[in-house]
Amino acid sequence: MSDVLRVQWTILAQTAPQPWLSCSRCGEAKPFRSSDKIRVNANGKRVDAWLIYKCTGCGSTWNRPILERRPVRTLEADLLRSLHASESTLTRRLAFDIEGLRQCAGRVEEFDDVLVTKTVLSESTMPAQRLEILCAVPEPVGLRVDRLLANELQLPRSRIQRLVQAGDLAAFPRASQLRRPVRDGMRLVFNLQGSGPAGALLRAVKSSPDAACRYRETP
Ligand SMILES: [Zn+2]
């Protein structure tokens, strides 16, 4: 007999990180957004490729280097085709590659609007005493764990803090912090004994929202 309810939350970022760059037409630093278009320049045996960003103020473009003077023979044919076609899986992966973006842009703004899809992995066969949430986060998101939980479970953040202090909520791996962004593979474990009526929480943990949830910092 199991008294554990296990669910997976798949957390998909909705807005790609945006570099803040000095825009000559706007005359100040502005956030730039990926246009999901790739420019390729195949010059003889070498290939250059850029992901094109546009200023959110005036539409001026910035070319983010993806490949620089790369010998054609070292590139897989599939990748070259995807680059030429600005294939959407590739442009999304590049746009969300925040580390790569940071290497060519100083300040990068992260967003925390996400779409959370909930899947039950195993139901408890008796009233659940323990709740485990496995977080699947394919691309890095800026959303903090405590805000994710507060929003998805409809609990005040102060209640989340109290659960942690009482030892009724723990995040794994052990060093994980609830004030830090949620990461792939993170496991959140609730002890439901003594945490009051758990019915609403058990429903919220399983039900999927209809649309992307927009998380905004609340004081
Ligand atoms: Zn501009």
Side-chain angles (χ1 to χ4, degrees):
M1 297 266 278
S2 164
D3 60 357
V4 184
L5 169 63
R6 285 192 184 86
V7 295
Q8 175 168 298
W9 286 5
T10 303
I11 300 155
L12 282 182
Q14 300 293 291
T15 307
Q18 294 179 357
W20 278 69
L21 302 162
S22 158
C23 175
S24 53
R25 203 189 295 173
C26 291
E28 58 181 340
K30 285 280 187 183
F32 280 60
R33 187 185 296 133
S34 166
S35 69
D36 297 329
K37 293 277 180 292
I38 295 173
R39 196 184 132 206
V40 183
N41 185 9
N43 194 346
K45 293 179 177 156
R46 305 219 171 235
V47 176
D48 291 273
W50 302 267
L51 181 61
I52 315 286
Y53 284 72
K54 288 191 171 173
C55 171
T56 55
C58 70
S60 291
T61 57
W62 171 63
N63 295 348
R64 170 183 162 194
I66 302 299
L67 297 177
E68 290 180 285
R69 309 289 298 148
R70 178 75 74 85
V72 178
R73 57 182 164 72
T74 65
L75 285 180
E76 302 236 352
D78 278 353
L79 175 60
L80 199 53
R81 257 194 305 277
S82 300
L83 286 165
H84 276 292
S86 295
E87 200 260 317
S88 61
T89 345
L90 176 64
T91 56
R92 180 178 166 94
R93 184 166 62 73
L94 292 170
F96 279 93
D97 169 23
I98 191 161
E99 293 311 321
L101 182 56
R102 282 205 177 104
Q103 285 170 17
C104 44
R107 178 181 165 203
V108 177
E109 185 176 1
E110 275 187 279
F111 295 87
D112 51 12
D113 49 335
V114 296
L115 177 67
V116 181
T117 310
K118 299 166 182 174
T119 316
V120 174
L121 298 177
S122 63
E123 289 269 16
S124 51
T125 48
M126 47 202 275
Q129 301 294 318
R130 218 158 84 106
L131 169 60
E132 291 191 12
I133 302 171
L134 178 66
C135 300
V137 192
E139 296 114 7
V141 294
L143 178 63
R144 285 166 40 160
V145 180
D146 55 351
R147 293 176 59 202
L148 170 74
L149 287 174
N151 281 284
E152 291 299 323
L153 301 177
Q154 302 286 298
L155 295 173
R157 262 196 276 167
S158 54
R159 171 89 190 280
I160 304 277
Q161 280 309 319
R162 282 204 301 280
L163 286 169
V164 173
Q165 283 156 9
D168 287 332
L169 167 57
F172 299 89
R174 269 291 180 196
S176 309
Q177 302 230 355
L178 269 66
R179 289 171 172 274
R180 304 283 301 158
V182 61
R183 288 293 176 242
D184 191 43
M186 197 177 261
R187 205 158 49 90
L188 305 166
V189 180
F190 288 78
N191 171 23
L192 300 177
Q193 288 167 320
S195 65
L201 193 139
L202 290 173
R203 278 191 299 279
V205 84
K206 292 193 278 185
S207 65
S208 281
D210 295 329
C213 297
R214 303 255 157 197
Y215 293 85
R216 286 291 167 256
E217 189 68 64
T218 46

PDB file of all heavy atoms in Angstrom, residues 84-105:
ATOM      1  N   HIS A  84      19.760  26.840 -42.456  1.00  0.00           N
ATOM      2  CA  HIS A  84      19.251  27.513 -43.657  1.00  0.00           C
ATOM      3  C   HIS A  84      17.738  27.722 -43.578  1.00  0.00           C
ATOM      4  O   HIS A  84      17.224  28.724 -44.063  1.00  0.00           O
ATOM      5  CB  HIS A  84      19.596  26.697 -44.919  1.00  0.00           C
ATOM      6  CG  HIS A  84      20.975  26.984 -45.438  1.00  0.00           C
ATOM      7  ND1 HIS A  84      21.320  28.195 -45.986  1.00  0.00           N
ATOM      8  CD2 HIS A  84      22.098  26.219 -45.479  1.00  0.00           C
ATOM      9  CE1 HIS A  84      22.592  28.174 -46.353  1.00  0.00           C
ATOM     10  NE2 HIS A  84      23.097  26.986 -46.054  1.00  0.00           N
ATOM     11  N   ALA A  85      17.027  26.766 -42.942  1.00  0.00           N
ATOM     12  CA  ALA A  85      15.560  26.839 -42.895  1.00  0.00           C
ATOM     13  C   ALA A  85      15.060  27.594 -41.669  1.00  0.00           C
ATOM     14  O   ALA A  85      13.856  27.712 -41.486  1.00  0.00           O
ATOM     15  CB  ALA A  85      14.990  25.423 -42.910  1.00  0.00           C
ATOM     16  N   SER A  86      15.974  28.099 -40.827  1.00  0.00           N
ATOM     17  CA  SER A  86      15.585  28.690 -39.535  1.00  0.00           C
ATOM     18  C   SER A  86      14.589  27.770 -38.835  1.00  0.00           C
ATOM     19  O   SER A  86      13.509  28.184 -38.407  1.00  0.00           O
ATOM     20  CB  SER A  86      14.939  30.069 -39.720  1.00  0.00           C
ATOM     21  OG  SER A  86      15.854  30.984 -40.239  1.00  0.00           O
ATOM     22  N   GLU A  87      14.948  26.510 -38.734  1.00  0.00           N
ATOM     23  CA  GLU A  87      14.032  25.495 -38.225  1.00  0.00           C
ATOM     24  C   GLU A  87      13.663  25.832 -36.769  1.00  0.00           C
ATOM     25  O   GLU A  87      14.517  26.208 -35.965  1.00  0.00           O
ATOM     26  CB  GLU A  87      14.719  24.130 -38.351  1.00  0.00           C
ATOM     27  CG  GLU A  87      13.812  22.949 -38.319  1.00  0.00           C
ATOM     28  CD  GLU A  87      13.816  22.326 -36.948  1.00  0.00           C
ATOM     29  OE1 GLU A  87      14.901  22.188 -36.362  1.00  0.00           O
ATOM     30  OE2 GLU A  87      12.712  22.039 -36.460  1.00  0.00           O
ATOM     31  N   SER A  88      12.344  25.695 -36.439  1.00  0.00           N
ATOM     32  CA  SER A  88      11.846  26.278 -35.186  1.00  0.00           C
ATOM     33  C   SER A  88      12.416  25.617 -33.926  1.00  0.00           C
ATOM     34  O   SER A  88      12.659  26.296 -32.931  1.00  0.00           O
ATOM     35  CB  SER A  88      10.318  26.243 -35.152  1.00  0.00           C
ATOM     36  OG  SER A  88       9.885  24.909 -35.218  1.00  0.00           O
ATOM     37  N   THR A  89      12.657  24.305 -33.959  1.00  0.00           N
ATOM     38  CA  THR A  89      13.237  23.672 -32.759  1.00  0.00           C
ATOM     39  C   THR A  89      14.632  24.228 -32.507  1.00  0.00           C
ATOM     40  O   THR A  89      15.026  24.447 -31.367  1.00  0.00           O
ATOM     41  CB  THR A  89      13.367  22.138 -32.945  1.00  0.00           C
ATOM     42  OG1 THR A  89      12.596  21.726 -34.048  1.00  0.00           O
ATOM     43  CG2 THR A  89      12.966  21.406 -31.731  1.00  0.00           C
ATOM     44  N   LEU A  90      15.354  24.453 -33.590  1.00  0.00           N
ATOM     45  CA  LEU A  90      16.717  24.981 -33.451  1.00  0.00           C
ATOM     46  C   LEU A  90      16.696  26.436 -32.962  1.00  0.00           C
ATOM     47  O   LEU A  90      17.434  26.795 -32.038  1.00  0.00           O
ATOM     48  CB  LEU A  90      17.452  24.881 -34.795  1.00  0.00           C
ATOM     49  CG  LEU A  90      18.864  25.475 -34.819  1.00  0.00           C
ATOM     50  CD1 LEU A  90      19.798  24.704 -33.875  1.00  0.00           C
ATOM     51  CD2 LEU A  90      19.443  25.460 -36.237  1.00  0.00           C
ATOM     52  N   THR A  91      15.831  27.266 -33.550  1.00  0.00           N
ATOM     53  CA  THR A  91      15.819  28.677 -33.131  1.00  0.00           C
ATOM     54  C   THR A  91      15.359  28.790 -31.682  1.00  0.00           C
ATOM     55  O   THR A  91      15.864  29.611 -30.928  1.00  0.00           O
ATOM     56  CB  THR A  91      14.914  29.547 -34.039  1.00  0.00           C
ATOM     57  OG1 THR A  91      13.608  29.012 -34.063  1.00  0.00           O
ATOM     58  CG2 THR A  91      15.457  29.641 -35.442  1.00  0.00           C
ATOM     59  N   ARG A  92      14.426  27.922 -31.259  1.00  0.00           N
ATOM     60  CA  ARG A  92      13.984  27.955 -29.860  1.00  0.00           C
ATOM     61  C   ARG A  92      15.130  27.541 -28.931  1.00  0.00           C
ATOM     62  O   ARG A  92      15.385  28.176 -27.920  1.00  0.00           O
ATOM     63  CB  ARG A  92      12.765  27.034 -29.657  1.00  0.00           C
ATOM     64  CG  ARG A  92      12.264  27.042 -28.212  1.00  0.00           C
ATOM     65  CD  ARG A  92      11.029  26.182 -27.991  1.00  0.00           C
ATOM     66  NE  ARG A  92      10.819  25.976 -26.562  1.00  0.00           N
ATOM     67  CZ  ARG A  92      10.043  26.723 -25.789  1.00  0.00           C
ATOM     68  NH1 ARG A  92       9.384  27.726 -26.291  1.00  0.00           N
ATOM     69  NH2 ARG A  92       9.917  26.473 -24.496  1.00  0.00           N
ATOM     70  N   ARG A  93      15.823  26.480 -29.311  1.00  0.00           N
ATOM     71  CA  ARG A  93      16.931  26.016 -28.458  1.00  0.00           C
ATOM     72  C   ARG A  93      17.989  27.114 -28.328  1.00  0.00           C
ATOM     73  O   ARG A  93      18.490  27.390 -27.243  1.00  0.00           O
ATOM     74  CB  ARG A  93      17.537  24.731 -29.040  1.00  0.00           C
ATOM     75  CG  ARG A  93      18.627  24.125 -28.192  1.00  0.00           C
ATOM     76  CD  ARG A  93      18.954  22.697 -28.612  1.00  0.00           C
ATOM     77  NE  ARG A  93      19.449  22.560 -29.969  1.00  0.00           N
ATOM     78  CZ  ARG A  93      20.658  22.936 -30.373  1.00  0.00           C
ATOM     79  NH1 ARG A  93      21.498  23.487 -29.524  1.00  0.00           N
ATOM     80  NH2 ARG A  93      21.018  22.772 -31.629  1.00  0.00           N
ATOM     81  N   LEU A  94      18.308  27.742 -29.432  1.00  0.00           N
ATOM     82  CA  LEU A  94      19.320  28.812 -29.397  1.00  0.00           C
ATOM     83  C   LEU A  94      18.827  30.005 -28.578  1.00  0.00           C
ATOM     84  O   LEU A  94      19.565  30.566 -27.769  1.00  0.00           O
ATOM     85  CB  LEU A  94      19.652  29.264 -30.824  1.00  0.00           C
ATOM     86  CG  LEU A  94      20.394  28.253 -31.691  1.00  0.00           C
ATOM     87  CD1 LEU A  94      20.432  28.730 -33.146  1.00  0.00           C
ATOM     88  CD2 LEU A  94      21.810  28.007 -31.170  1.00  0.00           C
ATOM     89  N   ALA A  95      17.565  30.392 -28.790  1.00  0.00           N
ATOM     90  CA  ALA A  95      17.040  31.569 -28.093  1.00  0.00           C
ATOM     91  C   ALA A  95      17.016  31.355 -26.583  1.00  0.00           C
ATOM     92  O   ALA A  95      17.172  32.301 -25.817  1.00  0.00           O
ATOM     93  CB  ALA A  95      15.636  31.894 -28.611  1.00  0.00           C
ATOM     94  N   PHE A  96      16.808  30.098 -26.143  1.00  0.00           N
ATOM     95  CA  PHE A  96      16.759  29.818 -24.709  1.00  0.00           C
ATOM     96  C   PHE A  96      18.121  29.433 -24.138  1.00  0.00           C
ATOM     97  O   PHE A  96      18.236  29.168 -22.954  1.00  0.00           O
ATOM     98  CB  PHE A  96      15.736  28.713 -24.410  1.00  0.00           C
ATOM     99  CG  PHE A  96      14.322  29.230 -24.368  1.00  0.00           C
ATOM    100  CD1 PHE A  96      13.526  29.197 -25.488  1.00  0.00           C
ATOM    101  CD2 PHE A  96      13.811  29.787 -23.209  1.00  0.00           C
ATOM    102  CE1 PHE A  96      12.228  29.698 -25.462  1.00  0.00           C
ATOM    103  CE2 PHE A  96      12.519  30.287 -23.173  1.00  0.00           C
ATOM    104  CZ  PHE A  96      11.732  30.241 -24.301  1.00  0.00           C
ATOM    105  N   ASP A  97      19.147  29.390 -24.963  1.00  0.00           N
ATOM    106  CA  ASP A  97      20.493  29.055 -24.489  1.00  0.00           C
ATOM    107  C   ASP A  97      21.088  30.292 -23.825  1.00  0.00           C
ATOM    108  O   ASP A  97      21.835  31.057 -24.433  1.00  0.00           O
ATOM    109  CB  ASP A  97      21.349  28.577 -25.671  1.00  0.00           C
ATOM    110  CG  ASP A  97      22.814  28.466 -25.296  1.00  0.00           C
ATOM    111  OD1 ASP A  97      23.120  28.332 -24.098  1.00  0.00           O
ATOM    112  OD2 ASP A  97      23.663  28.542 -26.208  1.00  0.00           O
ATOM    113  N   ILE A  98      20.751  30.463 -22.566  1.00  0.00           N
ATOM    114  CA  ILE A  98      21.098  31.714 -21.884  1.00  0.00           C
ATOM    115  C   ILE A  98      22.606  31.846 -21.684  1.00  0.00           C
ATOM    116  O   ILE A  98      23.152  32.949 -21.767  1.00  0.00           O
ATOM    117  CB  ILE A  98      20.323  31.853 -20.555  1.00  0.00           C
ATOM    118  CG1 ILE A  98      20.478  33.269 -20.005  1.00  0.00           C
ATOM    119  CG2 ILE A  98      20.740  30.811 -19.543  1.00  0.00           C
ATOM    120  CD1 ILE A  98      19.453  33.664 -19.002  1.00  0.00           C
ATOM    121  N   GLU A  99      23.287  30.717 -21.473  1.00  0.00           N
ATOM    122  CA  GLU A  99      24.746  30.811 -21.271  1.00  0.00           C
ATOM    123  C   GLU A  99      25.423  31.282 -22.554  1.00  0.00           C
ATOM    124  O   GLU A  99      26.307  32.125 -22.535  1.00  0.00           O
ATOM    125  CB  GLU A  99      25.319  29.462 -20.813  1.00  0.00           C
ATOM    126  CG  GLU A  99      24.860  29.036 -19.423  1.00  0.00           C
ATOM    127  CD  GLU A  99      25.010  30.150 -18.382  1.00  0.00           C
ATOM    128  OE1 GLU A  99      26.012  30.884 -18.428  1.00  0.00           O
ATOM    129  OE2 GLU A  99      24.107  30.292 -17.532  1.00  0.00           O
ATOM    130  N   GLY A 100      24.989  30.721 -23.677  1.00  0.00           N
ATOM    131  CA  GLY A 100      25.528  31.135 -24.973  1.00  0.00           C
ATOM    132  C   GLY A 100      25.250  32.609 -25.228  1.00  0.00           C
ATOM    133  O   GLY A 100      26.100  33.341 -25.747  1.00  0.00           O
ATOM    134  N   LEU A 101      24.058  33.042 -24.857  1.00  0.00           N
ATOM    135  CA  LEU A 101      23.684  34.434 -25.076  1.00  0.00           C
ATOM    136  C   LEU A 101      24.536  35.372 -24.214  1.00  0.00           C
ATOM    137  O   LEU A 101      24.974  36.427 -24.672  1.00  0.00           O
ATOM    138  CB  LEU A 101      22.194  34.603 -24.756  1.00  0.00           C
ATOM    139  CG  LEU A 101      21.567  35.977 -24.970  1.00  0.00           C
ATOM    140  CD1 LEU A 101      21.763  36.456 -26.397  1.00  0.00           C
ATOM    141  CD2 LEU A 101      20.075  35.939 -24.625  1.00  0.00           C
ATOM    142  N   ARG A 102      24.773  34.938 -22.979  1.00  0.00           N
ATOM    143  CA  ARG A 102      25.566  35.779 -22.062  1.00  0.00           C
ATOM    144  C   ARG A 102      26.980  36.000 -22.586  1.00  0.00           C
ATOM    145  O   ARG A 102      27.607  37.003 -22.268  1.00  0.00           O
ATOM    146  CB  ARG A 102      25.641  35.128 -20.676  1.00  0.00           C
ATOM    147  CG  ARG A 102      24.378  35.311 -19.875  1.00  0.00           C
ATOM    148  CD  ARG A 102      24.637  35.231 -18.369  1.00  0.00           C
ATOM    149  NE  ARG A 102      23.413  35.471 -17.633  1.00  0.00           N
ATOM    150  CZ  ARG A 102      22.696  34.517 -17.042  1.00  0.00           C
ATOM    151  NH1 ARG A 102      23.111  33.271 -17.052  1.00  0.00           N
ATOM    152  NH2 ARG A 102      21.584  34.820 -16.391  1.00  0.00           N
ATOM    153  N   GLN A 103      27.470  35.024 -23.358  1.00  0.00           N
ATOM    154  CA  GLN A 103      28.844  35.164 -23.862  1.00  0.00           C
ATOM    155  C   GLN A 103      28.967  36.286 -24.881  1.00  0.00           C
ATOM    156  O   GLN A 103      30.060  36.774 -25.128  1.00  0.00           O
ATOM    157  CB  GLN A 103      29.315  33.840 -24.479  1.00  0.00           C
ATOM    158  CG  GLN A 103      29.649  32.819 -23.402  1.00  0.00           C
ATOM    159  CD  GLN A 103      29.881  31.441 -23.970  1.00  0.00           C
ATOM    160  OE1 GLN A 103      30.100  31.292 -25.175  1.00  0.00           O
ATOM    161  NE2 GLN A 103      29.833  30.436 -23.123  1.00  0.00           N
ATOM    162  N   CYS A 104      27.856  36.680 -25.506  1.00  0.00           N
ATOM    163  CA  CYS A 104      27.988  37.753 -26.498  1.00  0.00           C
ATOM    164  C   CYS A 104      27.145  38.976 -26.165  1.00  0.00           C
ATOM    165  O   CYS A 104      27.109  39.929 -26.924  1.00  0.00           O
ATOM    166  CB  CYS A 104      27.716  37.244 -27.914  1.00  0.00           C
ATOM    167  SG  CYS A 104      26.320  36.178 -28.064  1.00  0.00           S
ATOM    168  N   ALA A 105      26.468  38.965 -25.023  1.00  0.00           N
ATOM    169  CA  ALA A 105      25.715  40.147 -24.603  1.00  0.00           C
ATOM    170  C   ALA A 105      25.917  40.310 -23.103  1.00  0.00           C
ATOM    171  O   ALA A 105      25.902  39.324 -22.365  1.00  0.00           O
ATOM    172  CB  ALA A 105      24.238  39.973 -24.910  1.00  0.00           C
TER     173      ALA A 105
END
